[in-house]
Amino acid sequence: MLTVFSAGGAPVGGTGKGAAAAAAATALALTVLAPLPAAASTARPPRLSWSPCPANDPVEKTALRGMECATLAVPLDHARPRGRKIRLALTRIRHTSRTFQGVVLLNRGGPGAHARDLPRFVTGNLDKKVAAQYDWIGLDPRGVGGSRPALVCDRTYQDPGRPRAPYVPRSAAEERAWKNRARRFADDCARRYRSILPYMRTVDSARDIDYVRAALRQKKVTYFAYSYGTYLGAVYASMYPHRVRRMVLDSVIRPSAVWYPSNLFQNVVFESRIQSFFAWIARNHRTYKLGRTREAVARSYAKVHRAVTRKPVNGRVGPSELDDVFLTDGYNNRTWPAHARALSDYLVRRDPKPLGKLWHKPTWLDQNNYTVYNAVECRDAAWPRNWARWHRDASRLYREGYRFETWSNTWYNAPCAFWRVPGGPKPAVRNRRGLPPMLLVASTGDAATPYAGALETHRLFPRSRLITQVRGGNHGVTFSGDRCVDKAVAAYLATGALPPSHAGSDLACPAPPPPKAGTVRRERRTGPAEGTPEGEPVATAGR
């Protein structure tokens, strides 16, 4: 479950244990890797025509003010450059320094995350002298946000207009109902976008990036991405090694686990992360009064879960919506104080209002994010088509104690069991001659993209350098308050400077301390990565 933005998921390649690890290893052993696809020959695209972004963008509202906007027609199928075209939407903040180091393409993750607001976020957090040396490009990938067509399928899957059934099915009939809903979502996508879905692979987006590079009249491009965007970057680097100038990949996907195995791993690692949240609440019992031990806090959460099952808050926040809200606490600890306070208000003060305010009805952008998530992941790689396999894996993990995300993640990905376009084969990710050193950033406790993904990518690209945030657990590290990480990233973008090479991680940065109890922050609405950062869609329902 890759996308969050307030609740949702990310692909994983984590260190599973026991039967979960064995199941994922078996799945990986059966995965077929395709040779690197040859770059399709295309005519040189026209130059981009930039103009001031609208004061009130139809998708991003006021977030694009002060930037420049453009659109670019690209082939739907890059193997047929004169065939049907789709349009990509872009934004730009131009360099202001006499020293110009080229363009940086930005990707937030997802798959399915919008990115046109990212140039302002990055330039507002990066060292100003470095930021001034680049043109910063926010690109909404094919199918996303301001790009056209923008894909949205059956909106009732995420928002049926009432509380959804519990993610954990209580009977065969409930599981069958969830499964049928997932099938209807897949069928609706096939009906709406039958001609588009075959061309929603990561490989297609990588070719889009190179098409944008050519339209920008750049021989090489710098690329900066979070989460799923790191997989897209790794695929691009494997396809076009001579087109890469520099590359920063933060919260790194494990290429060998794309995609069904990665979600099994995620279920394991998220359990540990959510238990860390419960342990933090327990250490702050004087503030929240939800229990003095992690186990006691877990029981408090279960009590709230049962209560909203019987009587949803505001008639909308039932057990699945509650899980959606609190899944964000597995992505970023900035939400911990506010979420713990709302839980305490509900259980201790008998006040449901704060809890009700944490859940928001999925927006059009949320629905677009979820649709593209499925369109990409279901197409990228093969998924089990026998529902018995899904049921068996989810049931086993749940019995083994990985309960918080297992069934929600199953339903988030379930449309891939019924997707009308076959998945795979996925491209091989590998080092190629001419590829410059890239910079990888990862947190040892990241549940969305576990640390094993960064280690594997570091091995695949031997000239890369890995910055590790030690004992951190947040998803999306750069520009989140870690000066050690931000300084190293800025140095790399400024001069190409890299940390000295060491076995394993090349630079260790201690994670900032967790938030203090009671310090409820107002979240900004533009942020880097899915899941943690601000501004990403809320992934509800289906997960």
Side-chain angles (χ1 to χ4, degrees):
M1 163 197 307
L2 242 148
T3 101
V4 178
F5 310 121
S6 238
V12 185
T15 52
K17 48 187 173 181
T26 300
L28 289 175
L30 297 175
T31 298
V32 176
L33 294 179
L36 288 168
S41 60
T42 62
R44 194 185 196 196
R47 285 182 179 271
L48 286 163
S49 178
W50 297 97
S51 60
C53 293
N56 187 17
D57 182 79
V59 176
E60 298 287 354
K61 306 307 178 188
T62 62
L64 306 185
R65 286 181 179 176
M67 290 193 277
E68 294 177 295
C69 284
T71 61
L72 178 66
V74 303
L76 172 64
D77 178 0
H78 282 276
R80 297 182 177 183
R82 299 187 184 279
R84 180 179 175 182
K85 300 295 195 297
I86 59 175
R87 300 195 73 84
L88 302 180
L90 306 94
T91 56
R92 179 175 71 172
I93 291 181
R94 299 189 66 183
H95 69 285
T96 56
S97 171
R98 291 184 178 180
T99 302
F100 178 51
Q101 296 209 52
V103 302
V104 184
L105 264 62
L106 302 170
N107 185 285
R108 182 182 254 117
H114 61 127
R116 287 184 300 150
D117 60 332
L118 278 184
R120 178 167 289 117
F121 171 79
V122 174
T123 57
N125 285 277
L126 181 63
D127 178 277
K128 295 189 183 304
K129 290 183 179 179
V130 179
Q133 296 174 10
Y134 288 95
D135 283 357
W136 298 88
I137 308 297
L139 168 62
D140 279 354
R142 55 175 55 202
V144 175
S147 295
R148 292 293 179 266
L151 312 187
V152 176
C153 301
D154 182 8
R155 299 184 68 164
T156 67
Y157 193 59
Q158 291 197 292
D159 182 23
R162 59 185 183 279
R164 287 164 286 123
Y167 284 135
V168 182
R170 295 167 293 189
S171 66
E174 284 194 355
E175 182 174 349
R176 188 163 52 249
W178 267 111
K179 185 174 65 171
N180 289 339
R181 292 181 64 229
R183 189 194 303 272
R184 287 195 297 271
F185 182 89
D187 289 347
D188 188 60
C189 284
R191 180 179 63 82
R192 293 172 183 269
Y193 308 114
R194 186 176 300 275
S195 63
I196 302 288
L197 296 183
Y199 306 103
M200 290 300 294
R201 301 168 300 171
T202 295
V203 165
D204 297 307
S205 289
R207 288 180 174 143
D208 288 346
I209 288 175
D210 204 59
Y211 204 81
V212 169
R213 175 203 58 76
L216 291 166
R217 300 300 188 258
Q218 299 291 308
K219 292 183 178 179
K220 295 187 177 184
V221 68
T222 297
Y223 178 82
F224 187 168
Y226 296 88
S227 195
Y228 161 78
T230 68
Y231 180 62
L232 174 57
V235 170
Y236 181 80
S238 301
M239 293 171 64
Y240 303 98
H242 294 284
R243 299 301 190 188
V244 177
R245 184 171 183 268
R246 291 173 188 151
M247 185 170 283
V248 180
L249 305 180
D250 185 317
S251 303
V252 187
I253 299 300
R254 186 178 182 181
S256 66
V258 170
W259 289 116
Y260 184 77
S262 75
N263 285 281
L264 298 181
F265 280 126
Q266 189 177 31
N267 299 337
V268 173
V269 186
F270 252 96
E271 188 68 30
S272 174
R273 183 63 173 155
I274 207 70
Q275 294 301 326
S276 295
F277 172 47
F278 290 163
W280 176 86
I281 295 176
R283 291 195 299 273
N284 293 285
H285 177 71
R286 292 181 61 183
T287 301
Y288 302 115
K289 297 179 174 56
L290 291 170
R292 298 181 183 276
T293 66
R294 173 176 56 81
E295 293 79 7
V297 174
R299 289 193 293 272
S300 292
Y301 183 83
K303 187 181 294 185
V304 175
H305 202 275
R306 290 191 297 271
V308 300
T309 301
R310 293 191 300 269
K311 184 180 179 181
V313 177
N314 298 335
R316 290 303 308 268
V317 184
S320 293
E321 291 76 20
L322 182 75
D323 288 343
D324 286 343
V325 168
F326 282 87
L327 187 63
T328 53
D329 300 304
Y331 283 85
N332 198 292
N333 61 20
R334 286 180 303 188
T335 58
W336 289 8
H339 288 191
R341 171 57 64 193
L343 209 60
S344 177
D345 286 343
Y346 183 94
L347 203 59
V348 179
R349 296 181 57 238
R350 309 295 181 184
D351 180 6
K353 294 186 183 67
L355 190 60
K357 290 179 180 178
L358 292 179
W359 180 83
H360 300 281
K361 176 184 171 70
T363 65
W364 178 90
L365 191 58
D366 302 332
Q367 299 274 10
N368 170 236
N369 168 220
Y370 180 65
T371 296
V372 176
Y373 169 89
N374 281 278
V376 174
E377 290 209 359
C378 299
R379 181 69 180 95
D380 256 355
W383 289 74
R385 294 291 182 155
N386 184 348
W387 186 256
R389 168 79 179 278
W390 293 68
H391 174 87
R392 184 169 62 250
D393 288 339
S395 298
R396 183 192 63 252
L397 288 171
Y398 192 82
R399 287 195 306 269
E400 290 173 355
Y402 307 114
R403 299 191 167 188
F404 193 81
E405 196 194 24
T406 290
W407 276 104
S408 65
N409 207 5
T410 298
W411 301 124
Y412 198 81
N413 293 280
C416 289
F418 311 105
W419 210 246
R420 296 290 187 88
V421 182
K426 63 182 181 181
V429 172
R430 65 174 182 231
N431 189 52
R432 296 185 70 192
R433 182 177 298 178
L435 181 67
M438 61 180 65
L439 190 63
L440 312 178
V441 182
S443 172
T444 55
D446 184 357
T449 54
Y451 188 55
L455 294 175
E456 177 176 288
T457 303
H458 191 28
R459 290 192 298 270
L460 288 171
F461 299 104
R463 298 181 65 200
S464 66
R465 295 291 189 273
L466 173 58
I467 302 174
T468 300
Q469 188 186 70
V470 181
R471 291 185 296 278
N474 289 347
H475 182 60
V477 180
T478 310
F479 308 138
S480 66
D482 189 322
R483 294 182 180 180
C484 174
V485 170
D486 291 353
K487 182 178 179 181
V489 170
Y492 173 69
L493 291 173
T495 66
L498 292 162
S501 180
H502 296 284
S505 176
D506 301 298
L507 174 63
C509 294
K516 294 181 179 179
T519 55
V520 177
R521 291 179 50 185
R522 181 191 177 106
E523 292 295 329
R524 295 169 293 170
R525 286 301 295 169
T526 54
E530 5 117 89
T532 73
E534 320 104 334
E536 290 238 304
V538 177
T540 54
R543 184 185 19 237

